[in-house]
Amino acid sequence: MTLSLPVATSSCQPWRGLIETYRPYLPVTENTPVVTLMEGNTPLIPVPAIAQRIGRGVRVFVKYDGLNPTGSFKDRGMTMAISKAKEAGAEAVICASTGNTSAAAAAYARRGGMRAFVLIPDGYVALGKLAQALLYGAEVLAIKGNFDRALEIVREMAESYPVTLVNSVNPYRLEGQKTGAFEVVDVLGNAPDWLCIPVGNAGNISAYWMGFCQYQQIGKCDRLPRMMGFQAAGAAPLVNGQPVHHPETIATAIRIGNPASWDKAMGVKTASGGNFHAVTDAEILDAYRLLASEEGIFCEPASAASVAGMLKVKEEIPTEATVVCVLTGNGLKDPDTAIKHSNSQFKQGIEADIQAVAGAMGF
């Protein structure tokens, strides 16, 4: 008896990257040379174990942007920033970074045939991110100062020298990052009730709000979410209402004391009826471990601030609400933190025989 297998007849088209997929909603033309690594299309993952901690029929999803090509949400903005820089004839780009921006800027700049210069705060960038920037070919300059000082310097450099600034003060960055909101609505069929997001330089919360508003205006969703931003307690200028001159937190990606998009973020808070809250490093690490050990999702510590914050204010979440937490970066960006703060056992020096292994396993 011969079994005949069905022939695949799917007309499904391969993902084309953010700019081609959302071209009608982005400031590009037929003359824009698209520099892409096929970023975007990251999964919206239900997290039932976390939702169970809230109860009351609340649904919780995480938007796992750590699965972008360089491992963070920065790729969304960088495909736009680098494409527009190339369109304008730029030969070099520059950014200040706590790590993720440097990796994305280096990857996209080199793919676009441009030099990439990166200023980082010496000693405060996770090694996974530094490794990326170096291998992609960035020219990395570590300064004796924090991120906020690095940003001041690169802004001045872009005004005085032939380099294009690709930090989130570049408006094309936010245009690319707003597509995260498009994808959330495309999957859910509407905007969520709450959008929880880590806040460092405050560009991403502003970009998501842009995306939701644009989709509502064209009828893709009929509501807007309440935007809830969460900062590390040691780097919480938006919560405290004033810059933090010496920000400190284990969540290095949001270790920023004077956000460049401060005014935009405060506007988002007001317009959406949202709020900003601070979460401690201990709360961030609890959420970090929870995501990995109960949901199988490994994000970097700063990403876990969105889940830590949501759980901190869970009593405020409406019954049967839909909540999306944005996870901005991959856990492999910062393996040192994972090893240092894991609660799992790591048994070493075991003899190479079955009895010894069984004994170590408790059998």
Side-chain angles (χ1 to χ4, degrees):
M1 182 178 183
T2 302
L3 294 176
S4 58
L5 297 176
V7 177
T9 59
S10 173
S11 60
C12 181
Q13 295 297 312
W15 180 253
R16 299 177 295 163
L18 289 184
I19 292 177
E20 293 304 335
T21 300
Y22 294 110
R23 179 175 279 272
Y25 314 117
L26 296 170
V28 293
T29 70
E30 65 276 5
N31 297 320
T32 305
V34 176
V35 181
T36 181
L37 290 167
M38 301 304 160
E39 59 294 312
N41 198 29
T42 57
L44 190 67
I45 307 171
V47 282
I50 290 173
Q52 193 170 33
R53 291 175 178 239
I54 302 170
R56 295 179 286 109
V58 172
R59 296 192 306 161
V60 182
F61 298 84
V62 293
K63 178 62 170 166
Y64 190 21
D65 255 1
L67 294 183
N68 272 301
T70 77
S72 87
F73 78 99
K74 303 288 188 175
D75 295 349
R76 293 184 178 276
M78 210 56 73
T79 184
M80 276 294 304
I82 298 296
S83 294
K84 296 299 288 188
K86 189 172 180 66
E87 182 180 2
E91 296 182 359
V93 301
I94 192 168
C95 69
S97 181
T98 55
N100 285 329
T101 298
S102 68
Y108 283 82
R110 299 305 293 160
R111 188 168 178 86
M114 287 175 268
R115 295 175 74 185
F117 295 93
V118 174
L119 264 68
I120 63 172
D122 198 5
Y124 286 96
V125 171
L127 288 181
K129 303 172 188 181
L130 179 58
Q132 284 182 282
L134 291 171
L135 200 59
Y136 288 138
E139 298 173 60
V140 180
L141 311 172
I143 68 163
K144 296 176 181 178
N146 60 24
F147 170 83
D148 302 298
R149 179 59 186 141
L151 183 58
E152 290 172 0
I153 292 172
V154 298
R155 293 178 85 155
E156 293 172 12
M157 290 290 298
E159 292 174 0
S160 305
Y161 296 90
V163 290
T164 298
L165 183 63
V166 292
N167 278 99
S168 58
V169 292
N170 180 320
Y172 297 118
R173 279 279 308 277
L174 300 193
E175 288 287 339
Q177 288 168 213
K178 75 183 182 185
T179 60
F182 294 168
E183 290 178 19
V184 167
V185 174
D186 288 345
V187 171
L188 292 179
N190 208 338
D193 296 291
W194 276 31
L195 192 287
C196 298
I197 192 165
V199 175
N201 218 23
N204 212 26
I205 190 170
S206 308
Y208 264 84
W209 183 246
M210 284 171 56
F212 287 125
C213 289
Q214 189 170 356
Y215 250 26
Q216 186 197 42
Q217 288 166 4
I218 61 173
K220 292 275 190 176
C221 59
D222 61 16
R223 65 187 183 201
L224 294 170
R226 187 179 185 199
M227 304 291 287
M228 303 294 288
F230 298 100
Q231 298 194 291
L238 297 178
V239 177
N240 299 332
Q242 60 185 7
V244 177
H245 297 296
H246 300 288
E248 292 293 342
T249 173
I250 196 169
T252 56
I254 54 174
R255 186 180 172 270
I256 296 169
N258 190 16
S261 296
W262 186 310
D263 291 341
K264 285 188 176 72
M266 294 307 293
V268 169
K269 171 187 169 182
T270 300
S272 73
N275 212 342
F276 295 112
H277 293 278
V279 284
T280 65
D281 280 5
E283 290 166 335
I284 288 171
L285 288 170
D286 284 345
Y288 173 66
R289 288 185 288 257
L290 175 63
L291 279 159
S293 65
E294 296 196 24
E295 303 288 5
I297 299 168
F298 185 26
C299 66
E300 67 172 317
S303 296
S306 61
V307 173
M310 176 196 66
L311 292 174
K312 188 167 187 172
V313 297
K314 65 182 182 180
E315 300 305 323
E316 298 178 25
I317 301 173
T319 298
E320 299 185 348
T322 297
V323 180
V324 171
C325 295
V326 179
L327 303 184
T328 46
N330 197 296
L332 293 173
K333 295 275 192 172
D334 190 1
D336 291 346
T337 296
I339 293 168
K340 184 177 180 180
H341 294 280
S342 168
N343 288 335
S344 299
Q345 293 184 344
F346 179 29
K347 299 179 180 179
Q348 298 174 279
I350 300 166
E351 293 297 327
D353 63 69
I354 190 169
Q355 289 85 5
V357 171
M361 293 170 65
F363 293 123

